[in-house]
Amino acid sequence: MQKISLYFENGIYLEAKSFGAEGTSVGEIVFNTSLTGYQEIVTDPSYAGQFVTFTMPDIGNVGCNAQDFESRGAYCKGIIVRSYQARPSNFRSEETLQELLEKHGVLGITDIDTRFITKRLREEGAMMMVASTQIHEKDELKKVLES
């Protein structure tokens, strides 16, 4: 896992670890309170252009399989999880969540306080953010978000 930096339109700057695709991406940040179905959320076209923060703390433990796709691809910009579980235990698993994200160019962000993010979103509403495995300076991320 490598470092990933996040900058929110309200000025918050956070650092975490990346487990998905590499790069820089801008999108709206939202949260999801589902206890199951992370693969379905990642492949749901209604999340297009968004970073989804999961309130369920452990994500990845089931793995992913072709039968549970909601569509032909992954549409969200990225997912944010408290703790990524890299070793799926479900007998139906065909690939890890990390492999799915890498294949579809979706950023995976872990080792971050998702409760803090969710509280900010509940109080301030959905907002735009930028996440990057390449840019780590707050001012540079702000420029990317504003462009």
Side-chain angles (χ1 to χ4, degrees), residues 14-31:
L14 301 171
E15 292 181 350
K17 293 182 181 171
S18 170
F19 69 92
E22 296 180 10
T24 301
S25 194
V26 175
E28 180 184 37
I29 181 167
V30 298
F31 67 89

Side-chain angles (χ1 to χ4, degrees), residues 131-144:
S132 180
T133 59
Q134 303 160 325
I135 305 168
H136 301 291
E137 295 81 27
K138 181 179 178 179
D139 292 337
E140 289 299 313
L141 289 168
K142 182 178 181 181
K143 287 179 189 176
V144 171

Side-chain angles (χ1 to χ4, degrees), residues 8-143:
F8 300 82
E9 73 175 75
N10 66 356
I12 293 174
Y13 171 81
L14 301 171
E15 292 181 350
K17 293 182 181 171
S18 170
F19 69 92
E22 296 180 10
T24 301
S25 194
V26 175
E28 180 184 37
I29 181 167
V30 298
F31 67 89
N32 185 290
T33 59
S34 297
L35 297 178
T36 61
Y38 58 81
Q39 177 186 340
E40 290 83 352
I41 292 164
V42 169
T43 60
D44 185 338
S46 70
Y47 288 103
Q50 296 178 323
F51 286 90
V52 181
T53 304
F54 287 94
T55 59
M56 178 66 179
D58 291 319
I59 300 291
N61 55 325
V62 177
C64 301
N65 67 76
Q67 291 180 326
D68 291 339
F69 272 58
E70 291 295 308
S71 63
R72 294 183 182 174
Y75 292 90
C76 62
K77 293 283 187 164
I79 64 170
I80 303 172
V81 304
R82 171 66 191 109
S83 178
Y84 170 63
Q85 302 301 315
R87 295 175 53 184
S89 61
N90 190 290
F91 71 96
R92 295 177 62 227
S93 176
E94 298 169 352
E95 65 183 340
T96 65
L97 178 57
Q98 179 174 354
E99 291 167 334
L100 174 76
L101 297 179
E102 289 172 347
K103 186 178 359 178
H104 293 280
V106 176
L107 296 174
I109 302 162
T110 189
D111 289 351
I112 193 164
D113 187 350
T114 54
R115 293 173 301 173
F116 170 78
I117 295 170
T118 301
K119 286 178 185 177
R120 294 275 55 83
L121 294 173
R122 285 178 54 203
E123 291 175 10
E124 300 177 40
M127 64 183 79
M128 296 298 288
M129 68 163 273
V130 58
S132 180
T133 59
Q134 303 160 325
I135 305 168
H136 301 291
E137 295 81 27
K138 181 179 178 179
D139 292 337
E140 289 299 313
L141 289 168
K142 182 178 181 181
K143 287 179 189 176

